[in-house]
Amino acid sequence: MKPYPNPLPFVSADEAVSHIKSHSHIHLSSVASVPHALIRALCRRADAGEVEDLRFHHFHTEGPAPYSEPRYEGIFFEQGFFIGPNVRSNVNSGYADYLPVHLGESQKLYRSGAIRLGAALVQVSRPDENGYVSLGTSVDCSIAAIESAELRIAVVNRNVPYAHGDLIHISSFDYLVEDDTPLVTKEFAQPTDTEVLIGKNCAALVEDGDCIQMGIGALPNALAAQLGGHKNLGLHTEMFADGLLGLIKKGVINGAHKKIDRGCVVASFLLGSQEVYSFIDDNPQVLMRDIKYTNDPWVIAQNPNMKAINSATEVDLTGQISADSIGTRIFSGTGGQLEFVRGASMSEGGKSITAFASRTNKGKNKIVPTLNPGAGVVTPRADAHWIVTEYGAVDLYGKSLQERAKLLIGIAHPDDREMLDRSAFERFGPHYHNFSV
């Protein structure tokens, strides 16, 4: 990438955020690419009593999140689209909040004016010779924010990779700040024996030439480790990390059979090691796109044999899938799960797969008679297809409630099956035990 020939008119972070008005909605670029220099400058304004009632919107963010902390009550208020560990306790104690939205529609909140943005704060790469910058590891809904906000501030950071895909011109910004702090990296735990078994059961549902979607973490890495013998896989996903990077480098994921974006990996945001970030830098085989594109079910469905692999916090005996909460406690968010579930379902030869351990780390069963009171249904029972645990995989598509209960009990933890069977009998009556699948 040849550098932009003109010197950039940088200002300090304090100067840039001094133009943000009280009572504004603020967008932050997310995940590994949070503009922490601007957040710290806003905290200095808040500490000086210069600003109040700023509302923050973003996907899950890594690093400090002072905008959610009780000490800034009345000054900052978090209303994130997806909740990460750094704000989870404050959201569940009421000092911050969660705004439910399918991630693919988060950009629509800005573009439609449902949320009127006072400012968009993002991190970008150094500009290319034509003045275009990349949002690097976190395109998400930031392009929509830049298009819609009254004030646009970019942190230009040489550590932000110049990723191909959706770019934006440097002239789109009102103020530029220079900060070369390295992006947040993350190492994920090695898969447990249980996760390895789940990975094997999922991998058995993936065939050569399929296009896949999965998230990040130990379980997706366990699945990726089981796909090393596959051939010609495609990748169209919200996000990916180191587990899938290994498959891309080995040529297992090459996109040879994709109908759209053939030969390319498509994603909207990333979190992982520096190796992942370096890999996407000026790499035309990786397209970092607006979440409007990556998560559109009609776009997803255009690739045949789409296999969407997601997770759950609980699944009840009828196939209702909760993934954003544990009872009334918000854990994460709706994310793009249902968008990929429906996209895969519409894809020719596609499958929607929900994979999780049969029990939590504390020994609580995750296949349950009914969801905990207050739990959010992220994927309705009518959209639930393949369900996978370490004990097997079952397909709920075309199955009645009683059939579903039988199938799900068969992949529950063995010590939970008697309780679940008794609950199904109480729910469906004496004819339930005469039912076979």
Side-chain angles (χ1 to χ4, degrees), residues 275-317:
E275 185 181 7
V276 176
Y277 306 159
S278 297
F279 180 77
I280 72 168
D281 187 39
D282 205 13
N283 184 346
Q285 293 183 315
V286 179
L287 304 179
M288 298 297 294
R289 299 292 308 270
D290 191 320
I291 201 79
K292 178 182 180 181
Y293 180 82
T294 60
N295 286 39
D296 184 338
W298 296 103
V299 172
I300 295 164
Q302 290 179 56
N303 281 311
N305 302 307
M306 185 74 201
K307 303 297 164 63
I309 305 163
N310 291 285
S311 194
T313 52
E314 286 183 328
V315 176
D316 77 6
L317 288 179

Side-chain angles (χ1 to χ4, degrees), residues 319-337:
Q320 293 190 114
I321 298 170
S322 180
D324 65 344
S325 57
I326 300 170
T328 58
R329 183 172 177 265
I330 296 298
F331 184 77
S332 54
T334 299
Q337 181 173 125

